[in-house]
């Protein structure tokens, strides 16, 4: 046994010697790795120094601060979401940009307070205060969203802090959009903020999760009012509506139609847009059973009417009661109801579409099959002289609509834009046929814009063919 052990000794020494050499190499590798890290760090620092050196001669850093500030203002005027974040990003670029941004009040004019839970309340309030302070005395837009913020012990106190920050600045607010959760939220917003509405406030929009009826304040300078499941407790008044250019009501049930129409008539010389969604009309007298021409107020500037999920009988009464000779845009959201021969197709109706310069018809979620299609084509023929845009989305659409538009383009000879939305079996090939048919007919305006939105069976080669025909193609995938 001892002889065997002795015979392995030279081998053991040899292995030990190899291990020592490996350790030496490992140490060298570790040293090289360390040196590599140092070199890479130095290279990174030199790269930053190079960028800094180039930045000193970059045209944008030699730009006058006043011109840079105007660029910041332009960037902050982008779409709402991007515009809100712009100033927060500008102050992080460089010392110069931070200085210029902080000295550019119009970069901070859009204040957004979006709170989903208690943890974001204080940071959002601090941010809002910073925006309000940096915007100095310029006009501001305010977006307050607490619709997802549930009840908690500290919520009333934190919500009061938000209103404390906004209240002294409301006199310079041009647009106030509120999405509220609790009934008390609406009461506080109106009681705290409405008294400070100034002549600059043009748009006020309130959406409430709870159905709220309150004493509405007088807002004499307001031009645009949007109320969602919220409204006046004591009915509509002349003072509330008389200066409005735009009125949108949603989930207001019921609307006492006669006093509403009387109050709305006070705005007849300025009203341009009226939208009703998921509302019902109520009648307290026999006036509208025995119709008289004296109760058909004229709204000479009313160009847009939208009706979404309104009972068809209420739609008929509305168009019988209101004369809008300048109507250009009609939106009907039908909640799966069948399209029918509406009163606005009757020449004896106060607002008959054939007597209006109607340019756009938009239909959503209607059932247009069989005889319903006949009614739709009759509508299109009645406004064929002026109609330029058609949009049909959701619901059920008889495929013979596309056949009619192809073989008889004179139904709408001046049509320039056609949009189809949310039709599950729609492949899009009918659009090519319609576009080609319109190009080959004398006296027919070729299509300039075609849109397809969220159609599950749409085939993507259609868009390429339309573009090759010189048509602007707008597409939103399913």
């Amino acid at each position: 046994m001892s002889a065997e052990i002795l015979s392995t000794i030279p081998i053991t020494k040899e292995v030990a010697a190899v291990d020592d050499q490996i350790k030496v190499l490992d140490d060298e590798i570790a040293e090289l790795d360390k040196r590599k890290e140092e070199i890479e760090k130095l290279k990174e620092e030199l790269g930053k120094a190079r960028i800094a050196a180039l930045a000193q001669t970059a045209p944008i850093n030699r730009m006058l601060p006043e011109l840079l500030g105007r660029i910041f203002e332009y960037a902050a005027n982008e779409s709402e979401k991007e515009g809100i974040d712009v100033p927060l990003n500008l102050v992080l670029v460089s010392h110069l940009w931070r200085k210029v941004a902080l000295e550019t009040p119009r970069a901070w004019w859009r204040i957004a307070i979006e709170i989903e839970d208690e943890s974001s309340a204080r940071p959002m309030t601090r941010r809002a205060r910073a925006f309000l302070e940096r915007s100095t005395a310029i006009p501001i837009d305010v977006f307050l969203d607490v619709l997802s913020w549930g009840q908690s012990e500290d919520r009333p106190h934190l919500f009061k802090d938000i209103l404390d920050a906004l209240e002294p600045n409301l006199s310079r607010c041009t647009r106030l959009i509120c999405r509220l959760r609790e009934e008390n939220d609406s009461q506080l917003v109106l009681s705290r903020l409405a008294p400070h509405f100034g002549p600059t406030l043009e748009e006020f929009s309130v959406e409430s999760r709870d159905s709220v009826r309150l004493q509405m304040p007088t807002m004499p300078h307001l031009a645009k009012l949007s109320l969602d499941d919220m409204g006046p407790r004591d009915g509509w008044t002349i003072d509330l509506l008389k200066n409005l250019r735009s009125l949108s009501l949603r989930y207001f049930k019921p609307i006492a139609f006669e006093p509403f129409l009387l109050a709305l008539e006070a705005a007849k010389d300025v009203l341009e847009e009226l939208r009703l969604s998921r509302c019902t009309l109520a009648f307290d007298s026999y006036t509208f059973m025995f119709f008289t021409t004296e109760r058909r107020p004229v709204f000479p500037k009313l160009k847009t009417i939208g009706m979404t999920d309104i009972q068809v009988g209420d739609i008929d009464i509305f168009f019988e009661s209101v004369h809008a000779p300048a109507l250009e845009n009609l939106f009907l959201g039908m909640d799966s109801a069948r399209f029918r021969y509406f009163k606005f197709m009757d020449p004896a109706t106060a607002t008959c579409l054939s007597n209006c310069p109607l340019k756009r018809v938009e239909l959503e979620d209607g059932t247009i099959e069989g005889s319903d299609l006949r009614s739709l084509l009759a509508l299109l023929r009645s406004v064929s002289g002026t109609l330029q845009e058609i949009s049909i989305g959701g619901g059920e659409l008889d495929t013979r609509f596309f056949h009619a538009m192809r073989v008889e383009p004179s139904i709408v000879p001046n049509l320039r834009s056609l949009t189809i939305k949310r039709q599950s079996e729609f492949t899009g090939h009918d659009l090519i046929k319609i576009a080609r048919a319109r190009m080959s007919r004398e006296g027919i305006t070729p299509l300039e814009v075609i849109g397809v939105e969220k159609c599950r069976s749409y085939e993507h080669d259609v868009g390429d063919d339309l573009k090759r025909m010189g048509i602007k193609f707008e597409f939103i995938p399913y």
Side-chain angles (χ1 to χ4, degrees):
M1 179 65 70
S2 60
E4 294 176 357
I5 294 175
L6 289 174
S7 66
T8 62
I9 288 176
I11 298 176
T12 303
K13 288 182 178 180
E14 184 178 347
V15 171
V18 172
D19 288 343
D20 290 341
Q21 292 177 4
I22 292 174
K23 184 177 183 305
V24 171
L25 294 176
D26 286 340
D27 291 342
E28 290 181 7
I29 291 173
E31 190 66 29
L32 290 172
D33 287 340
K34 181 178 179 182
R35 179 58 180 158
K36 180 184 177 183
E37 290 179 4
E38 292 174 352
I39 292 172
E40 289 179 344
K41 184 177 181 180
L42 178 60
K43 180 182 177 182
E44 183 180 350
E45 291 175 353
L46 289 173
K48 292 180 179 178
R50 181 178 183 274
I51 293 173
L54 290 173
Q56 292 178 2
T57 59
I60 195 167
N61 284 328
R62 287 183 284 133
M63 191 177 293
L64 291 173
E66 293 83 357
L67 184 55
L68 193 60
R70 292 297 300 272
I71 294 174
F72 290 173
E73 291 177 4
Y74 178 81
N77 279 322
E78 286 299 308
S79 62
E80 290 190 2
K81 183 61 179 176
E82 290 79 4
I84 289 170
D85 295 332
V86 161
L88 298 176
N89 295 328
L90 292 176
V91 296
L92 300 176
V93 174
S94 67
H95 175 74
L96 172 62
W97 282 36
R98 177 179 177 81
K99 182 176 184 297
V100 173
L102 292 177
E103 294 174 353
T104 307
R106 293 188 184 279
W108 306 90
W109 69 282
R110 188 177 281 141
I111 291 88
I113 307 171
E114 300 177 76
I115 301 175
E116 294 185 355
D117 53 48
E118 196 167 303
S119 63
S120 61
R122 288 186 175 86
M124 273 289 173
T125 304
R126 286 195 298 269
R127 191 178 85 161
R129 289 184 184 277
F131 273 63
L132 291 166
E133 180 181 349
R134 293 168 184 174
S135 61
T136 61
I138 68 163
I140 56 174
D141 278 10
V142 177
F143 179 74
L144 173 62
D145 184 356
V146 295
L147 192 64
S148 301
W149 186 12
Q151 190 58 264
S152 67
E153 183 177 349
D154 290 336
R155 190 182 189 279
H157 172 71
L158 295 172
F159 190 68
K160 179 179 178 296
D161 288 344
I162 296 170
L163 299 183
D164 288 342
L166 294 176
E167 187 174 347
N169 295 279
L170 258 293
S171 60
R172 58 190 177 100
C173 184
T174 59
R175 184 168 175 251
L176 176 60
I177 310 297
C178 300
R179 302 184 71 220
L180 309 173
R181 183 183 181 93
E182 310 292 338
E183 180 176 351
N184 194 46
D185 294 345
S186 303
Q187 294 173 339
L188 284 171
V189 165
L190 289 178
S191 63
R192 292 284 305 277
L193 302 186
H196 300 278
F197 289 173
T200 60
L201 186 66
E202 295 186 354
E203 180 180 351
F204 180 40
S205 175
V206 183
E207 176 184 349
S208 174
R209 182 170 177 175
D210 291 339
S211 184
V212 180
R213 299 295 177 263
L214 300 170
Q215 182 65 42
M216 298 288 289
T218 300
M219 296 174 277
H221 305 288
L222 202 64
K224 185 173 183 178
L225 178 63
S226 177
L227 300 177
D228 188 331
D229 211 3
M230 176 184 169
R233 179 190 298 123
D234 301 324
W236 302 94
T237 64
I238 291 176
D239 288 338
L240 183 60
L241 303 182
K242 65 181 180 181
N243 295 314
L244 294 181
R245 293 198 302 268
S246 174
L247 175 62
S248 176
L249 303 178
R250 187 169 185 264
Y251 277 114
F252 199 96
K253 301 180 180 182
I255 296 175
F257 188 63
E258 293 159 273
F260 173 71
L261 185 59
L262 181 64
L264 193 65
E265 189 175 358
K268 65 181 182 179
D269 294 327
V270 293
L271 190 66
E272 299 174 0
E273 179 181 21
L274 177 63
R275 294 183 182 273
L276 302 179
S277 175
R278 298 184 181 273
C279 300
T280 57
L281 305 182
F283 309 96
D284 296 328
S285 71
Y286 296 107
T287 303
F288 290 90
M289 293 178 63
F290 306 99
F291 224 178
T292 59
T293 56
E294 289 80 11
R295 290 298 301 129
R296 295 182 180 181
V298 179
F299 293 81
K301 294 185 178 181
L302 184 56
K303 295 183 178 182
T304 300
I305 294 177
M307 298 279 169
T308 303
D309 299 346
I310 306 293
Q311 296 179 14
V312 291
D314 289 348
I315 294 176
D316 284 345
I317 289 177
F318 176 85
F319 279 92
E320 287 180 323
S321 308
V322 171
H323 186 199
L327 185 64
E328 295 182 357
N329 307 297
L330 175 66
F331 175 88
L332 288 180
M334 304 184 65
D335 194 23
S336 300
R338 304 191 74 87
F339 192 87
R340 44 158 277 188
Y341 193 91
F342 287 92
K343 283 286 188 178
F344 53 60
M345 299 163 65
D346 187 342
T349 301
T351 298
C352 175
L353 298 188
S354 62
N355 298 326
C356 299
L358 198 69
K359 295 180 180 179
R360 178 177 175 83
V361 170
E362 188 170 358
L363 306 176
E364 294 280 342
D365 300 320
T367 299
I368 307 173
E369 295 181 321
S371 60
D372 312 319
L373 177 59
R374 185 181 177 88
S375 297
L376 174 60
L377 295 177
L379 167 62
L380 298 181
R381 283 186 183 278
S382 70
V383 294
S384 61
T386 58
L387 190 63
Q388 299 179 9
E389 300 179 45
I390 297 175
S391 175
I392 301 177
E396 300 293 335
L397 178 61
D398 196 317
T399 56
R400 287 176 291 181
F401 168 78
F402 301 106
H403 176 77
M405 297 292 286
R406 176 170 59 86
V407 301
E408 196 57 61
S410 60
I411 293 175
V412 275
N414 299 308
L415 187 67
R416 299 177 184 274
S417 174
L418 176 61
T419 300
I420 303 298
K421 306 177 183 178
R422 304 191 313 280
Q423 297 292 322
S424 59
E425 304 302 322
F426 181 67
T427 64
H429 288 285
D430 286 314
L431 296 175
I432 298 175
K433 297 176 183 178
I434 293 171
R436 286 175 176 163
R438 298 187 68 84
M439 286 180 172
S440 60
R441 294 286 289 271
E442 186 177 352
I444 301 298
T445 301
L447 282 171
E448 298 174 1
V449 180
I450 289 181
V452 174
E453 180 177 325
K454 298 182 179 179
C455 294
R456 184 175 57 192
S457 301
Y458 165 76
E459 297 180 8
H460 292 271
D461 59 324
V462 171
D464 296 333
D465 291 342
L466 292 172
K467 290 175 183 177
R468 281 192 287 268
M469 296 167 66
I471 296 173
K472 181 181 178 182
F473 181 63
E474 300 174 345
F475 175 65
I476 298 177
Y478 178 73

